[in-house]
Amino acid sequence: EIDIDLYKNNSSPAALVQSSEGMSPPTKVTRPPSYVSEHRHKEIWREDEGKAYKVPKYYPDLKSRAQAAHKDLTMAEVAKHDKRDDLWIIVDGKAYDVTKFADKHPGGWLPMMNLGGKDCTDAFANYHPARVYKTMLPQYYIGDVVDYKESAFVKGHRAMRQQLLEEGLFETRMSFYWGLAAWLAFLGFTAMYLTLGCASTVAHLSGAAILALFWQQMAFLGHDIGHNAVSHNRSKDSAGGLVIGNLLTGISCAWWKASHNVHHV
């Protein structure tokens, strides 16, 4: 049985900040040399709740999953499992069978199926907090991909992302959103005043135009909060999405997540 609450109520980001030294070594299972074995003890930068942390690239495999793992998985074999009811993905050279989780995925099943049978390392890093690598992925582990490799382009991209994370350039500047909130409040209240507090046709037409601008500007904030990119806390941004999407703009936040996320991958 899959414990989805691990995704909702997992450990704090601070708990992820630990050195690979002193960490329990991964379960020892005979595997051929692979990308995973070469990088097993590496630490990298990941994001969690809007902050960058240096964490182990891999966490120890669950003993039961490691013992049952495939020993000779290839990219070609994983590529065969690209259906909603048979869905494998690759993250950092490891393969995971996420079939049972597809319909529970907070971002909808479409992005998962779009990346089914493929290497989704970069998309996964972009849209998941660091804790997921520790609390959720090990449940779905089915083996290392023995012929997994990084192209020169991919290596360059990942190195650049690591540098940006280390420099804190992905961290949200909340002053921007406070300024945006003030601007949206001005537009909203101005539109209501001109529409409800004035009698002239010109005022009503102006109110309608400003209301349209309010909705157009609100769409940008709705997009960011729908991606959990404002507070980077899923519960807070989901609550904000209900207000901004469902209440103020008439767009279902749940529908938006289920249909929108796929275009990013």
Side-chain angles (χ1 to χ4, degrees):
E1 183 65 25
I2 304 303
D3 187 2
I4 193 173
D5 288 333
L6 282 173
Y7 187 87
K8 299 177 180 176
N9 304 307
N10 38 35
S11 57
S12 65
L16 294 166
V17 184
Q18 55 177 300
S19 170
S20 57
E21 295 180 4
M23 188 182 79
S24 300
T27 304
K28 291 184 177 180
V29 176
T30 302
R31 297 187 179 97
S34 65
Y35 174 90
V36 174
S37 62
E38 293 174 359
H39 295 80
R40 185 166 293 279
H41 298 292
K42 184 177 180 180
E43 289 188 336
I44 64 173
W45 291 94
R46 297 199 193 279
E47 177 273 334
D48 203 299
E49 293 197 358
K51 301 294 182 183
Y53 299 93
K54 199 166 190 179
V55 299
K57 184 167 186 173
Y58 300 106
Y59 289 96
D61 304 321
L62 296 176
K63 186 176 181 180
S64 58
R65 304 296 296 181
Q67 290 175 340
H70 297 260
K71 306 300 189 298
D72 55 355
L73 273 181
T74 63
M75 298 288 290
E77 176 59 32
V78 175
K80 298 175 183 177
H81 303 270
D82 60 350
K83 305 294 188 296
R84 187 176 180 178
D85 59 354
D86 181 20
L87 193 59
W88 293 9
I89 59 172
I90 299 170
V91 178
D92 289 318
K94 288 191 171 193
Y96 301 90
D97 181 353
V98 293
T99 306
K100 294 181 179 179
F101 187 67
D103 289 330
K104 301 176 184 178
H105 184 231
W109 60 269
L110 285 171
M112 295 186 69
M113 195 178 77
N114 196 41
L115 288 169
K118 302 172 185 173
D119 176 18
C120 67
T121 299
D122 300 298
F124 197 93
N126 285 341
Y127 296 104
H128 296 84
R131 73 191 81 170
V132 170
Y133 292 83
K134 181 179 182 180
T135 61
M136 288 209 67
L137 275 183
Q139 299 181 66
Y140 304 97
Y141 172 71
I142 55 174
D144 297 348
V145 180
V146 296
D147 59 347
Y148 180 84
K149 292 180 176 62
E150 292 176 314
S151 68
F153 174 83
V154 169
K155 284 183 180 180
H157 167 78
R158 292 176 183 175
M160 179 173 64
R161 189 174 190 275
Q162 285 294 294
Q163 181 179 344
L164 295 175
L165 281 167
E166 184 175 4
E167 294 177 3
L169 297 180
F170 285 159
E171 295 182 9
T172 299
R173 181 166 53 88
M174 291 307 297
S175 60
F176 168 81
Y177 285 106
W178 287 118
L180 180 59
W183 167 241
L184 290 170
F186 169 75
L187 291 176
F189 285 118
T190 300
M192 286 192 290
Y193 171 74
L194 291 173
T195 303
L196 303 175
C198 300
S200 72
T201 300
V202 172
H204 287 174
L205 290 174
S206 298
I210 292 175
L211 180 61
L213 179 61
F214 167 78
W215 280 332
Q216 185 270 341
Q217 292 286 290
M218 185 69 80
F220 293 109
L221 179 58
H223 175 273
D224 289 355
I225 208 165
H227 279 303
N228 296 339
V230 176
S231 73
H232 297 270
N233 179 289
R234 185 181 168 212
S235 298
K236 292 179 181 178
D237 281 350
S238 292
L242 289 174
V243 175
I244 293 169
N246 297 54
L247 180 62
L248 296 178
T249 61
I251 297 174
S252 165
C253 192
W255 167 83
W256 184 89
K257 288 185 178 183
S259 60
H260 171 83
N261 286 322
V262 67
H263 98 91
H264 285 286
V265 296

